Amino acid sequence: MVTKDWTTGTIFLSQTITGVLGNFSLLSHYVYLYFTGCKFRPTDLIIKHLTVANCLVILSRGVPQTMTALGMKHFLSDTACKLVFYVHRVGRDVSISSTCLLSIFQAITVSPRNTLWAKLKAKVPKYIAPSVILFWMVNMILNILVPIGVSANWSEKNITKKTDYGYCYSITDKIIEYGTLYAALVLFRDVFFVALLLWSSSSMVVTLYRHKQQVQYIHGTNVSSRSSPESRATQSILVLVSSFVSLFTLSSIFHICLTALRNPTLWLVNTSAVLAGSFPAVSPYILMSHDSRVPRLCCACTRNTEFCT
């Protein structure tokens, strides 16, 4: 096996292990909070579903890509190929939807009392669970056409336009034939969610910045911006959103190239796969690094009466 294959396999394996450990650590954190009797925050439900979606993305793409890079070929049947791509796409779309929902909820939470959003603060938490379930259902239905454009590596020999992932084919001809309207709908949904994410996050950052300025004006300039809750929340939002938008944009560009090109190169395929798994791999570490409950292990929590500090 050439060195390039080992290098690519190591990259995929490292990303997969890092992502799985991060997401399962975050899920384990919530299991610990449950057994210690802590009352969950409203956003915790969104993050738990986001974590599950991230795990699906990482496992459905990272594991087969790693096996292929390390020399294993033709290890998935035609049905398995369709299932792997379907699970990956559903997980990816739920990840996008959940990230957007998380940003919108936080924007409503920190909105000033004199705005229209403030009236929704007490009502929004009860809509979180139905919204997350709706995301799963809609994305499972919307991606029902994904298996049509996927075949096993040893089938469909007379294909004029395809993307070879090493373990499966993504058949562009079939996607164009059966799913032009579907592709337009998916593109509109992705653009819509990203626009909502940018708008809500920008609104939240502006609100927190104004509040910080007011606090400094009232208490003087000696207020430490490094330790203030507003600064920590702003930093968390900026890191999570900027990571998502940058990685999602790069991943979308490479995915468009894969679809447009006839028989794209292996480098393009592997780079696109790495970018697709980047946000699911790094997001749990971003969330845990800004969750004050993680290092304290919820020691100061009163059972079922208050949120962890």
Side-chain angles (χ1 to χ4, degrees):
M1 185 182 299
V2 297
T3 305
K4 185 178 180 180
D5 292 332
W6 281 107
T7 302
T8 304
T10 302
I11 293 173
F12 280 118
L13 182 61
S14 300
Q15 184 185 62
T16 302
I17 293 175
T18 301
V20 170
L21 287 177
N23 284 283
F24 273 94
S25 296
L26 188 55
L27 288 176
S28 300
H29 165 61
Y30 285 116
V31 171
Y32 181 86
L33 295 182
Y34 173 80
F35 282 108
T36 54
C38 291
K39 184 178 180 181
F40 288 107
R41 299 168 181 168
T43 55
D44 287 340
L45 179 62
I46 305 175
I47 295 175
K48 284 186 283 187
H49 282 270
L50 172 62
T51 305
V52 172
N54 287 341
C55 288
L56 293 179
V57 173
I58 294 171
L59 293 175
S60 61
R61 181 57 59 88
V63 173
Q65 289 286 171
T66 301
M67 296 172 66
T68 300
L70 294 179
M72 298 184 65
K73 302 290 184 180
H74 312 306
F75 55 88
L76 290 179
S77 64
D78 192 65
T79 301
C81 279
K82 297 180 185 298
L83 180 62
V84 164
F85 272 73
Y86 177 74
V87 169
H88 177 268
R89 184 53 65 97
V90 171
R92 169 191 174 273
D93 293 345
V94 173
S95 178
I96 296 172
S97 305
S98 300
T99 304
C100 182
L101 179 62
L102 180 62
S103 181
I104 292 175
F105 178 84
Q106 290 176 329
I108 295 175
T109 300
V110 300
S111 60
R113 296 181 179 179
N114 57 351
T115 61
L116 294 176
W117 290 110
K119 299 179 181 179
L120 299 175
K121 288 184 180 181
K123 299 179 181 179
V124 168
K126 67 180 181 180
Y127 294 114
I128 289 180
S131 297
V132 173
I133 295 174
L134 181 64
F135 287 153
W136 282 102
M137 295 177 61
V138 169
N139 287 310
M140 290 176 68
I141 296 173
L142 190 61
N143 288 296
I144 199 70
L145 292 179
V146 169
I148 295 177
V150 179
S151 291
N153 227 4
W154 57 88
S155 63
E156 302 283 353
K157 296 300 181 181
N158 297 321
I159 300 173
T160 59
K161 197 172 184 181
K162 63 189 177 184
T163 300
D164 185 5
Y165 286 89
Y167 53 95
C168 297
Y169 281 144
S170 177
I171 309 170
T172 309
D173 291 344
K174 285 191 174 182
I175 296 175
I176 296 175
E177 179 182 356
Y178 292 101
T180 303
L181 179 61
Y182 158 78
L185 184 61
V186 169
L187 178 62
F188 172 79
R189 180 207 56 198
D190 289 351
V191 172
F192 176 73
F193 274 123
V194 171
L196 276 180
L197 177 64
L198 291 174
W199 170 79
S200 59
S201 300
S202 300
S203 174
M204 181 167 38
V205 170
V206 170
T207 300
L208 292 174
Y209 177 77
R210 290 176 178 175
H211 178 68
K212 176 185 175 182
Q213 294 297 104
Q214 293 175 355
V215 171
Q216 287 183 338
Y217 176 77
I218 294 173
H219 297 284
T221 58
N222 294 326
V223 178
S224 175
S225 60
R226 181 177 299 179
S227 59
S228 66
E230 293 83 6
S231 297
R232 291 197 300 268
T234 302
Q235 183 183 12
S236 175
I237 296 162
L238 286 174
V239 173
L240 188 65
V241 172
S242 60
S243 299
F244 174 82
V245 172
S246 58
L247 292 173
F248 177 78
T249 301
L250 286 174
S251 178
S252 298
I253 293 173
F254 274 81
H255 183 72
I256 292 173
C257 292
L258 288 179
T259 305
L261 295 177
R262 184 183 299 274
N263 300 327
T265 63
L266 181 62
W267 177 87
L268 188 63
V269 173
N270 289 335
T271 304
S272 177
V274 170
L275 289 173
S278 295
F279 179 76
V282 303
S283 60
Y285 297 99
I286 296 175
L287 292 169
M288 286 189 293
S289 65
H290 294 91
D291 190 343
S292 59
R293 299 170 297 177
V294 173
R296 297 183 183 183
L297 295 178
C298 202
C299 294
C301 180
T302 303
R303 183 175 183 84
N304 294 328
T305 57
E306 58 179 318
F307 295 114
C308 301
T309 56

